[in-house]
Amino acid sequence: MRSAPFTLLLSAFLCTIGCSDDGDGGAGGAGGQGATGGTGGATGGTSTSAGGTSASTSGTGSATGGTSASTGDASSSTGDASSSASGTGGSGGGMAVRTPAASASTLREAGEKANPPILIGAAISGGGLNNADYKRVAAAEHNYVTAENEMKWDALEPNPGQFSWGAADNIVNWARTNNMKVKGHTLVWHNQLPGWANSLSGATQVEQAIRRHIENVMGHFKDRVDTWDVVNEAVITDSDTGVGNPRMRPSVFFNALGERYLDLAFEIAREQDPDAKLYYNDYSIDALNEKADFVYEMIKGMVERGVPIDGVGFQMHIGPPNNEAGGADVAANLRRFADLGLEVLISEMDINRCSNQVTAEEQLTYYHDIVEACFVMPECTGITFWGINDGRSWLNGWAGALCNGQSSQSLLFNDQYQKKETYNRVMDALMGR
Ligand code: G3I
């Protein structure tokens, strides 16, 4: 296993330049990260994407009933930027760290009370919402929802121009009832497309279909969903672990439009909602591997072309069939993307033990160190787990998962919805322990 013990020592060092007990200093990194140049001055007037991160996190606070204090902390911290801007020696950004809550009894509370706050999410399935225990745990522990399947193209537009909102509305409305924010997943993806979409051909047809889909979907959820996975998994390698010949993935979109379909999708999404957070999302880009390098260059190109992208989701499916990544590797990888001026998110985390291919101890170390790697970075705005309990994980039944039929034991709650040791290790990381 390639687990590397992560940086308690580094965190302690960073706290000497970026943390403070009064809650202002830690949040300084949010506005002041100055990832695109470390220019956050005392007025906080420099506008960077990292500053946008701060705003988004504050917005979360209000969406979840967060106090005005947390909003105030996040924005007032902007002025602290300059004090830490010289701290990293990185590509110009000041490296501050997020300050953990003094106390918290749920993951959600730990995220809401951190400074700046961080979203704690889960993939939610329509089926799960029929179970009272599932709903109780999901709402108590999380404040961010991704529909596991119900907002994908095949679910929302089963026939051309004919939309089916029921299953998605159910999840979105449940989330809002529980003061949870929703991320739309996903607007353009090669997978889970209806048959008719896979049969499209020619640039004009495909472009029109992308436009109609994004306009209708974002229009329908406007005012309820303001963060979106705009493009999902546009890159492929020979192995699902992110190694070997990274390249643009052939798909109905790429085949008709080439790489410009990404720019197009983000531009259409931005036209629909000038304030939404727009993300690229992919798997096995968590470690410093060939796929991550390729995606880094792709995203860097988009940023340089002025494509309206706000952040990158690192799915963080760790273990078979995907990559494994230690905390230090993840930290370095997230850092380089954040230094492009982007938010970074852990967007679909689970750790597949696949019987014992990943040992219990390795799984605990991964959970702690990877969550810590995100948590300490103010630009890391959310951590979403891909499901609630082991029994309902996609890994148990999906034919593509190598451990299909074996025990994935991949999540934070067991089949009886009791907390596992994995939960405790995640909580430790969120509390700075
Ligand atoms: O809804 C049909 C049902 O009508 C049918 O009877 C049944 C028979 O197999 O299939 C059902 O569809 C399944 C669907 O999940 C809903 O349960 C599909 O077969 C199954 O392939 C699909 O799997 C989903 C997978 O994406 C598909 O790619 C998983 O639940 C979902 O967790 C997974 O999520 C993806 C993210 O969206 C993107 N990143 C990777 C992640 C894990 O693969």
Side-chain angles (χ1 to χ4, degrees):
M1 293 303 126
R2 292 169 289 288
S3 163
F6 192 54
T7 55
L8 272 181
L9 215 56
L10 176 63
S11 297
F13 165 70
L14 290 172
C15 273
T16 66
I17 58 170
C19 297
S20 92
D21 289 334
D22 64 13
D24 271 341
Q33 191 64 16
T36 53
T39 50
T43 61
T46 303
S47 172
T48 67
S49 295
T53 300
S54 166
S56 142
T57 309
S58 306
T60 301
S62 58
T64 56
T67 62
S68 57
S70 74
T71 304
D73 283 345
S75 56
S76 69
S77 68
T78 313
D80 291 340
S82 55
S83 64
S84 63
S86 59
T88 57
S91 63
M95 187 186 286
V97 295
R98 174 176 276 114
T99 308
S103 66
S105 55
T106 62
L107 303 176
R108 170 181 183 149
E109 191 184 4
E112 288 170 354
K113 285 180 161 177
N115 189 1
I118 183 166
L119 293 161
I120 305 297
I124 296 297
S125 69
L129 293 184
N130 295 325
N131 180 299
D133 288 327
Y134 178 101
K135 283 197 287 192
R136 175 180 51 77
V137 170
E141 298 286 348
H142 309 88
N143 58 6
Y144 199 24
V145 164
T146 306
E148 186 171 1
N149 287 297
E150 291 77 359
M151 293 176 80
K152 293 172 179 174
W153 198 314
D154 62 352
L156 292 183
E157 194 179 352
N159 297 300
Q162 192 184 91
F163 292 83
S164 171
W165 307 115
D169 277 344
N170 198 32
I171 290 180
V172 171
N173 294 339
W174 174 82
R176 287 167 55 80
T177 303
N178 289 284
N179 293 321
M180 301 159 99
K181 190 176 170 79
V182 178
K183 179 158 65 133
H185 174 82
T186 171
L187 292 171
V188 179
W189 187 28
H190 69 280
N191 204 354
Q192 287 176 282
L193 284 174
W196 67 264
N198 268 320
S199 315
L200 295 170
S201 68
T204 306
Q205 255 192 22
V206 172
E207 181 169 340
Q208 281 172 353
I210 290 176
R211 180 173 291 281
R212 180 180 61 202
H213 189 76
I214 294 179
E215 284 178 357
N216 278 278
V217 173
M218 288 186 72
H220 179 79
F221 293 105
K222 189 132 192 175
D223 302 328
R224 293 186 290 162
V225 177
D226 60 2
T227 58
W228 290 92
D229 287 334
V230 177
V231 176
N232 199 37
E233 302 173 3
V235 173
I236 189 169
T237 51
D238 290 343
S239 151
D240 276 345
T241 60
V243 174
N245 190 22
R247 56 202 183 274
M248 298 306 296
R249 180 192 296 275
S251 68
V252 66
F253 308 113
F254 180 76
N255 298 348
L257 298 167
E259 195 172 336
R260 82 176 173 91
Y261 86 84
L262 282 95
D263 296 15
L264 181 73
F266 279 89
E267 278 154 10
I268 296 170
R270 177 57 76 229
E271 283 166 25
Q272 294 314 300
D273 190 341
D275 301 318
K277 295 291 181 180
L278 306 179
Y279 303 132
Y280 176 77
N281 189 49
D282 214 332
Y283 65 88
S284 289
I285 57 167
D286 315 313
L288 293 167
N289 60 27
E290 291 173 79
K291 183 173 179 182
D293 291 347
F294 187 93
V295 168
Y296 174 78
E297 292 301 330
M298 181 183 84
I299 298 293
K300 184 163 174 275
M302 292 169 71
V303 169
E304 286 168 356
R305 288 194 296 280
V307 175
I309 178 171
D310 295 294
V312 176
F314 299 78
Q315 292 185 9
M316 219 60 72
H317 293 294
I318 299 293
N322 298 131
N323 67 183
E324 292 181 36
D329 238 22
V330 171
N333 197 35
L334 296 183
R335 167 53 47 205
R336 63 175 169 164
F337 281 84
D339 281 347
L340 294 173
L342 298 173
E343 288 180 37
V344 292
L345 303 94
I346 292 179
S347 55
E348 304 188 7
M349 188 171 194
D350 52 21
I351 301 178
N352 187 2
R353 289 203 44 211
C354 200
S355 290
N356 213 34
Q357 287 189 48
V358 173
T359 68
E361 200 48 48
E362 286 165 343
Q363 187 192 45
L364 294 177
T365 302
Y366 282 145
Y367 259 123
H368 177 272
D369 291 357
I370 291 171
V371 168
E372 181 184 55
C374 164
F375 181 79
V376 297
M377 286 178 63
E379 303 98 324
C380 197
T381 53
I383 301 172
T384 289
F385 302 97
W386 205 243
I388 300 292
N389 61 322
D390 287 349
R392 287 183 177 273
S393 166
W394 69 286
L395 290 162
N396 301 330
W398 189 57
L402 292 180
C403 100
N404 195 19
Q406 300 183 54
S407 175
S408 66
Q409 299 169 264
S410 54
L411 290 165
L412 308 188
F413 295 86
N414 67 18
D415 292 354
Q416 287 71 48
Y417 295 91
Q418 291 159 333
K419 294 170 186 168
K420 295 166 51 184
E421 189 55 22
T422 46
Y423 175 99
N424 297 330
R425 296 303 286 271
V426 166
M427 189 62 147
D428 283 347
L430 296 178
M431 298 302 292
R433 300 189 288 250

mmCIF file with all atom_site columns, all heavy atoms in Angstrom, residues 9-31:
data_model
loop_
_atom_site.group_PDB
_atom_site.id
_atom_site.type_symbol
_atom_site.label_atom_id
_atom_site.label_alt_id
_atom_site.label_comp_id
_atom_site.label_asym_id
_atom_site.label_entity_id
_atom_site.label_seq_id
_atom_site.pdbx_PDB_ins_code
_atom_site.Cartn_x
_atom_site.Cartn_y
_atom_site.Cartn_z
_atom_site.occupancy
_atom_site.B_iso_or_equiv
_atom_site.pdbx_formal_charge
_atom_site.auth_seq_id
_atom_site.auth_comp_id
_atom_site.auth_asym_id
_atom_site.auth_atom_id
_atom_site.pdbx_PDB_model_num
ATOM 1   N N   . LEU A 1 9  ? 2.888   17.237 11.876 1.00 0.00 ? 9  LEU A N   1
ATOM 2   C CA  . LEU A 1 9  ? 3.985   18.163 12.105 1.00 0.00 ? 9  LEU A CA  1
ATOM 3   C C   . LEU A 1 9  ? 3.836   19.394 11.220 1.00 0.00 ? 9  LEU A C   1
ATOM 4   O O   . LEU A 1 9  ? 3.967   20.525 11.667 1.00 0.00 ? 9  LEU A O   1
ATOM 5   C CB  . LEU A 1 9  ? 5.301   17.445 11.768 1.00 0.00 ? 9  LEU A CB  1
ATOM 6   C CG  . LEU A 1 9  ? 6.482   17.804 12.631 1.00 0.00 ? 9  LEU A CG  1
ATOM 7   C CD1 . LEU A 1 9  ? 6.146   17.564 14.098 1.00 0.00 ? 9  LEU A CD1 1
ATOM 8   C CD2 . LEU A 1 9  ? 7.691   16.980 12.221 1.00 0.00 ? 9  LEU A CD2 1
ATOM 9   N N   . LEU A 1 10 ? 3.489   19.124 9.948  1.00 0.00 ? 10 LEU A N   1
ATOM 10  C CA  . LEU A 1 10 ? 3.323   20.227 8.997  1.00 0.00 ? 10 LEU A CA  1
ATOM 11  C C   . LEU A 1 10 ? 2.181   21.126 9.448  1.00 0.00 ? 10 LEU A C   1
ATOM 12  O O   . LEU A 1 10 ? 2.283   22.340 9.441  1.00 0.00 ? 10 LEU A O   1
ATOM 13  C CB  . LEU A 1 10 ? 3.050   19.684 7.592  1.00 0.00 ? 10 LEU A CB  1
ATOM 14  C CG  . LEU A 1 10 ? 2.761   20.739 6.524  1.00 0.00 ? 10 LEU A CG  1
ATOM 15  C CD1 . LEU A 1 10 ? 3.974   21.636 6.334  1.00 0.00 ? 10 LEU A CD1 1
ATOM 16  C CD2 . LEU A 1 10 ? 2.394   20.080 5.210  1.00 0.00 ? 10 LEU A CD2 1
ATOM 17  N N   . SER A 1 11 ? 1.074   20.481 9.876  1.00 0.00 ? 11 SER A N   1
ATOM 18  C CA  . SER A 1 11 ? -0.062  21.281 10.331 1.00 0.00 ? 11 SER A CA  1
ATOM 19  C C   . SER A 1 11 ? 0.341   22.159 11.496 1.00 0.00 ? 11 SER A C   1
ATOM 20  O O   . SER A 1 11 ? -0.016  23.331 11.568 1.00 0.00 ? 11 SER A O   1
ATOM 21  C CB  . SER A 1 11 ? -1.209  20.371 10.791 1.00 0.00 ? 11 SER A CB  1
ATOM 22  O OG  . SER A 1 11 ? -1.653  19.612 9.727  1.00 0.00 ? 11 SER A OG  1
ATOM 23  N N   . ALA A 1 12 ? 1.095   21.579 12.419 1.00 0.00 ? 12 ALA A N   1
ATOM 24  C CA  . ALA A 1 12 ? 1.493   22.350 13.589 1.00 0.00 ? 12 ALA A CA  1
ATOM 25  C C   . ALA A 1 12 ? 2.354   23.530 13.150 1.00 0.00 ? 12 ALA A C   1
ATOM 26  O O   . ALA A 1 12 ? 2.180   24.660 13.597 1.00 0.00 ? 12 ALA A O   1
ATOM 27  C CB  . ALA A 1 12 ? 2.272   21.462 14.554 1.00 0.00 ? 12 ALA A CB  1
ATOM 28  N N   . PHE A 1 13 ? 3.223   23.264 12.181 1.00 0.00 ? 13 PHE A N   1
ATOM 29  C CA  . PHE A 1 13 ? 4.074   24.347 11.682 1.00 0.00 ? 13 PHE A CA  1
ATOM 30  C C   . PHE A 1 13 ? 3.234   25.421 11.016 1.00 0.00 ? 13 PHE A C   1
ATOM 31  O O   . PHE A 1 13 ? 3.383   26.609 11.256 1.00 0.00 ? 13 PHE A O   1
ATOM 32  C CB  . PHE A 1 13 ? 5.111   23.802 10.701 1.00 0.00 ? 13 PHE A CB  1
ATOM 33  C CG  . PHE A 1 13 ? 5.774   24.872 9.887  1.00 0.00 ? 13 PHE A CG  1
ATOM 34  C CD1 . PHE A 1 13 ? 6.667   25.760 10.472 1.00 0.00 ? 13 PHE A CD1 1
ATOM 35  C CD2 . PHE A 1 13 ? 5.479   25.023 8.549  1.00 0.00 ? 13 PHE A CD2 1
ATOM 36  C CE1 . PHE A 1 13 ? 7.256   26.773 9.730  1.00 0.00 ? 13 PHE A CE1 1
ATOM 37  C CE2 . PHE A 1 13 ? 6.077   26.027 7.803  1.00 0.00 ? 13 PHE A CE2 1
ATOM 38  C CZ  . PHE A 1 13 ? 6.955   26.903 8.388  1.00 0.00 ? 13 PHE A CZ  1
ATOM 39  N N   . LEU A 1 14 ? 2.291   24.971 10.179 1.00 0.00 ? 14 LEU A N   1
ATOM 40  C CA  . LEU A 1 14 ? 1.467   25.943 9.462  1.00 0.00 ? 14 LEU A CA  1
ATOM 41  C C   . LEU A 1 14 ? 0.670   26.774 10.436 1.00 0.00 ? 14 LEU A C   1
ATOM 42  O O   . LEU A 1 14 ? 0.413   27.947 10.212 1.00 0.00 ? 14 LEU A O   1
ATOM 43  C CB  . LEU A 1 14 ? 0.546   25.219 8.484  1.00 0.00 ? 14 LEU A CB  1
ATOM 44  C CG  . LEU A 1 14 ? 1.286   24.594 7.304  1.00 0.00 ? 14 LEU A CG  1
ATOM 45  C CD1 . LEU A 1 14 ? 0.329   23.746 6.503  1.00 0.00 ? 14 LEU A CD1 1
ATOM 46  C CD2 . LEU A 1 14 ? 1.913   25.660 6.433  1.00 0.00 ? 14 LEU A CD2 1
ATOM 47  N N   . CYS A 1 15 ? 0.251   26.159 11.544 1.00 0.00 ? 15 CYS A N   1
ATOM 48  C CA  . CYS A 1 15 ? -0.521  26.913 12.521 1.00 0.00 ? 15 CYS A CA  1
ATOM 49  C C   . CYS A 1 15 ? 0.295   28.063 13.088 1.00 0.00 ? 15 CYS A C   1
ATOM 50  O O   . CYS A 1 15 ? -0.260  29.061 13.521 1.00 0.00 ? 15 CYS A O   1
ATOM 51  C CB  . CYS A 1 15 ? -1.019  26.012 13.653 1.00 0.00 ? 15 CYS A CB  1
ATOM 52  S SG  . CYS A 1 15 ? -2.586  25.265 13.219 1.00 0.00 ? 15 CYS A SG  1
ATOM 53  N N   . THR A 1 16 ? 1.611   27.926 13.090 1.00 0.00 ? 16 THR A N   1
ATOM 54  C CA  . THR A 1 16 ? 2.389   29.032 13.608 1.00 0.00 ? 16 THR A CA  1
ATOM 55  C C   . THR A 1 16 ? 2.319   30.227 12.670 1.00 0.00 ? 16 THR A C   1
ATOM 56  O O   . THR A 1 16 ? 2.570   31.345 13.059 1.00 0.00 ? 16 THR A O   1
ATOM 57  C CB  . THR A 1 16 ? 3.882   28.641 13.794 1.00 0.00 ? 16 THR A CB  1
ATOM 58  O OG1 . THR A 1 16 ? 4.430   28.391 12.510 1.00 0.00 ? 16 THR A OG1 1
ATOM 59  C CG2 . THR A 1 16 ? 4.037   27.429 14.682 1.00 0.00 ? 16 THR A CG2 1
ATOM 60  N N   . ILE A 1 17 ? 1.920   29.980 11.395 1.00 0.00 ? 17 ILE A N   1
ATOM 61  C CA  . ILE A 1 17 ? 1.810   31.123 10.483 1.00 0.00 ? 17 ILE A CA  1
ATOM 62  C C   . ILE A 1 17 ? 0.377   31.400 10.078 1.00 0.00 ? 17 ILE A C   1
ATOM 63  O O   . ILE A 1 17 ? 0.079   32.463 9.596  1.00 0.00 ? 17 ILE A O   1
ATOM 64  C CB  . ILE A 1 17 ? 2.653   30.908 9.202  1.00 0.00 ? 17 ILE A CB  1
ATOM 65  C CG1 . ILE A 1 17 ? 2.200   29.630 8.476  1.00 0.00 ? 17 ILE A CG1 1
ATOM 66  C CG2 . ILE A 1 17 ? 4.122   30.867 9.517  1.00 0.00 ? 17 ILE A CG2 1
ATOM 67  C CD1 . ILE A 1 17 ? 2.803   29.475 7.106  1.00 0.00 ? 17 ILE A CD1 1
ATOM 68  N N   . GLY A 1 18 ? -0.520  30.454 10.305 1.00 0.00 ? 18 GLY A N   1
ATOM 69  C CA  . GLY A 1 18 ? -1.850  30.669 9.752  1.00 0.00 ? 18 GLY A CA  1
ATOM 70  C C   . GLY A 1 18 ? -3.000  30.474 10.701 1.00 0.00 ? 18 GLY A C   1
ATOM 71  O O   . GLY A 1 18 ? -4.112  30.827 10.388 1.00 0.00 ? 18 GLY A O   1
ATOM 72  N N   . CYS A 1 19 ? -2.811  29.904 11.864 1.00 0.00 ? 19 CYS A N   1
ATOM 73  C CA  . CYS A 1 19 ? -3.935  29.616 12.756 1.00 0.00 ? 19 CYS A CA  1
ATOM 74  C C   . CYS A 1 19 ? -4.047  30.682 13.819 1.00 0.00 ? 19 CYS A C   1
ATOM 75  O O   . CYS A 1 19 ? -3.074  31.326 14.182 1.00 0.00 ? 19 CYS A O   1
ATOM 76  C CB  . CYS A 1 19 ? -3.735  28.268 13.448 1.00 0.00 ? 19 CYS A CB  1
ATOM 77  S SG  . CYS A 1 19 ? -3.710  26.906 12.302 1.00 0.00 ? 19 CYS A SG  1
ATOM 78  N N   . SER A 1 20 ? -5.256  30.815 14.339 1.00 0.00 ? 20 SER A N   1
ATOM 79  C CA  . SER A 1 20 ? -5.375  31.649 15.518 1.00 0.00 ? 20 SER A CA  1
ATOM 80  C C   . SER A 1 20 ? -6.545  31.169 16.325 1.00 0.00 ? 20 SER A C   1
ATOM 81  O O   . SER A 1 20 ? -7.479  30.577 15.820 1.00 0.00 ? 20 SER A O   1
ATOM 82  C CB  . SER A 1 20 ? -5.537  33.110 15.116 1.00 0.00 ? 20 SER A CB  1
ATOM 83  O OG  . SER A 1 20 ? -6.890  33.441 15.014 1.00 0.00 ? 20 SER A OG  1
ATOM 84  N N   . ASP A 1 21 ? -6.508  31.416 17.601 1.00 0.00 ? 21 ASP A N   1
ATOM 85  C CA  . ASP A 1 21 ? -7.544  30.906 18.483 1.00 0.00 ? 21 ASP A CA  1
ATOM 86  C C   . ASP A 1 21 ? -8.850  31.661 18.342 1.00 0.00 ? 21 ASP A C   1
ATOM 87  O O   . ASP A 1 21 ? -9.907  31.165 18.651 1.00 0.00 ? 21 ASP A O   1
ATOM 88  C CB  . ASP A 1 21 ? -7.076  30.997 19.945 1.00 0.00 ? 21 ASP A CB  1
ATOM 89  C CG  . ASP A 1 21 ? -5.986  29.983 20.186 1.00 0.00 ? 21 ASP A CG  1
ATOM 90  O OD1 . ASP A 1 21 ? -5.959  28.959 19.476 1.00 0.00 ? 21 ASP A OD1 1
ATOM 91  O OD2 . ASP A 1 21 ? -5.153  30.225 21.061 1.00 0.00 ? 21 ASP A OD2 1
ATOM 92  N N   . ASP A 1 22 ? -8.784  32.877 17.871 1.00 0.00 ? 22 ASP A N   1
ATOM 93  C CA  . ASP A 1 22 ? -10.020 33.652 17.818 1.00 0.00 ? 22 ASP A CA  1
ATOM 94  C C   . ASP A 1 22 ? -10.833 33.367 16.569 1.00 0.00 ? 22 ASP A C   1
ATOM 95  O O   . ASP A 1 22 ? -11.890 33.932 16.364 1.00 0.00 ? 22 ASP A O   1
ATOM 96  C CB  . ASP A 1 22 ? -9.720  35.156 17.922 1.00 0.00 ? 22 ASP A CB  1
ATOM 97  C CG  . ASP A 1 22 ? -8.906  35.662 16.750 1.00 0.00 ? 22 ASP A CG  1
ATOM 98  O OD1 . ASP A 1 22 ? -8.780  34.941 15.735 1.00 0.00 ? 22 ASP A OD1 1
ATOM 99  O OD2 . ASP A 1 22 ? -8.395  36.776 16.840 1.00 0.00 ? 22 ASP A OD2 1
ATOM 100 N N   . GLY A 1 23 ? -10.343 32.491 15.753 1.00 0.00 ? 23 GLY A N   1
ATOM 101 C CA  . GLY A 1 23 ? -11.142 32.078 14.617 1.00 0.00 ? 23 GLY A CA  1
ATOM 102 C C   . GLY A 1 23 ? -10.932 32.922 13.375 1.00 0.00 ? 23 GLY A C   1
ATOM 103 O O   . GLY A 1 23 ? -11.389 32.575 12.311 1.00 0.00 ? 23 GLY A O   1
ATOM 104 N N   . ASP A 1 24 ? -10.260 34.011 13.488 1.00 0.00 ? 24 ASP A N   1
ATOM 105 C CA  . ASP A 1 24 ? -10.062 34.826 12.295 1.00 0.00 ? 24 ASP A CA  1
ATOM 106 C C   . ASP A 1 24 ? -8.894  34.361 11.459 1.00 0.00 ? 24 ASP A C   1
ATOM 107 O O   . ASP A 1 24 ? -8.946  34.315 10.248 1.00 0.00 ? 24 ASP A O   1
ATOM 108 C CB  . ASP A 1 24 ? -9.817  36.294 12.677 1.00 0.00 ? 24 ASP A CB  1
ATOM 109 C CG  . ASP A 1 24 ? -11.117 37.046 12.773 1.00 0.00 ? 24 ASP A CG  1
ATOM 110 O OD1 . ASP A 1 24 ? -12.105 36.562 12.211 1.00 0.00 ? 24 ASP A OD1 1
ATOM 111 O OD2 . ASP A 1 24 ? -11.141 38.082 13.397 1.00 0.00 ? 24 ASP A OD2 1
ATOM 112 N N   . GLY A 1 25 ? -7.854  34.022 12.125 1.00 0.00 ? 25 GLY A N   1
ATOM 113 C CA  . GLY A 1 25 ? -6.630  33.724 11.393 1.00 0.00 ? 25 GLY A CA  1
ATOM 114 C C   . GLY A 1 25 ? -6.771  32.533 10.485 1.00 0.00 ? 25 GLY A C   1
ATOM 115 O O   . GLY A 1 25 ? -6.312  32.539 9.351  1.00 0.00 ? 25 GLY A O   1
ATOM 116 N N   . GLY A 1 26 ? -7.445  31.498 10.970 1.00 0.00 ? 26 GLY A N   1
ATOM 117 C CA  . GLY A 1 26 ? -7.564  30.303 10.155 1.00 0.00 ? 26 GLY A CA  1
ATOM 118 C C   . GLY A 1 26 ? -8.316  30.577 8.880  1.00 0.00 ? 26 GLY A C   1
ATOM 119 O O   . GLY A 1 26 ? -7.938  30.130 7.813  1.00 0.00 ? 26 GLY A O   1
ATOM 120 N N   . ALA A 1 27 ? -9.362  31.347 9.033  1.00 0.00 ? 27 ALA A N   1
ATOM 121 C CA  . ALA A 1 27 ? -10.144 31.631 7.839  1.00 0.00 ? 27 ALA A CA  1
ATOM 122 C C   . ALA A 1 27 ? -9.415  32.566 6.906  1.00 0.00 ? 27 ALA A C   1
ATOM 123 O O   . ALA A 1 27 ? -9.808  32.748 5.779  1.00 0.00 ? 27 ALA A O   1
ATOM 124 C CB  . ALA A 1 27 ? -11.482 32.244 8.224  1.00 0.00 ? 27 ALA A CB  1
ATOM 125 N N   . GLY A 1 28 ? -8.358  33.136 7.394  1.00 0.00 ? 28 GLY A N   1
ATOM 126 C CA  . GLY A 1 28 ? -7.610  34.046 6.547  1.00 0.00 ? 28 GLY A CA  1
ATOM 127 C C   . GLY A 1 28 ? -7.263  33.419 5.223  1.00 0.00 ? 28 GLY A C   1
ATOM 128 O O   . GLY A 1 28 ? -7.217  34.083 4.205  1.00 0.00 ? 28 GLY A O   1
ATOM 129 N N   . GLY A 1 29 ? -7.058  32.134 5.262  1.00 0.00 ? 29 GLY A N   1
ATOM 130 C CA  . GLY A 1 29 ? -6.683  31.491 4.026  1.00 0.00 ? 29 GLY A CA  1
ATOM 131 C C   . GLY A 1 29 ? -7.783  31.491 2.996  1.00 0.00 ? 29 GLY A C   1
ATOM 132 O O   . GLY A 1 29 ? -7.505  31.448 1.806  1.00 0.00 ? 29 GLY A O   1
ATOM 133 N N   . ALA A 1 30 ? -9.012  31.542 3.442  1.00 0.00 ? 30 ALA A N   1
ATOM 134 C CA  . ALA A 1 30 ? -10.086 31.421 2.461  1.00 0.00 ? 30 ALA A CA  1
ATOM 135 C C   . ALA A 1 30 ? -10.093 32.592 1.508  1.00 0.00 ? 30 ALA A C   1
ATOM 136 O O   . ALA A 1 30 ? -10.027 32.430 0.307  1.00 0.00 ? 30 ALA A O   1
ATOM 137 C CB  . ALA A 1 30 ? -11.426 31.325 3.170  1.00 0.00 ? 30 ALA A CB  1
ATOM 138 N N   . GLY A 1 31 ? -10.152 33.760 2.095  1.00 0.00 ? 31 GLY A N   1
ATOM 139 C CA  . GLY A 1 31 ? -10.139 34.906 1.222  1.00 0.00 ? 31 GLY A CA  1
ATOM 140 C C   . GLY A 1 31 ? -8.733  35.225 0.771  1.00 0.00 ? 31 GLY A C   1
ATOM 141 O O   . GLY A 1 31 ? -8.517  35.753 -0.298 1.00 0.00 ? 31 GLY A O   1
#
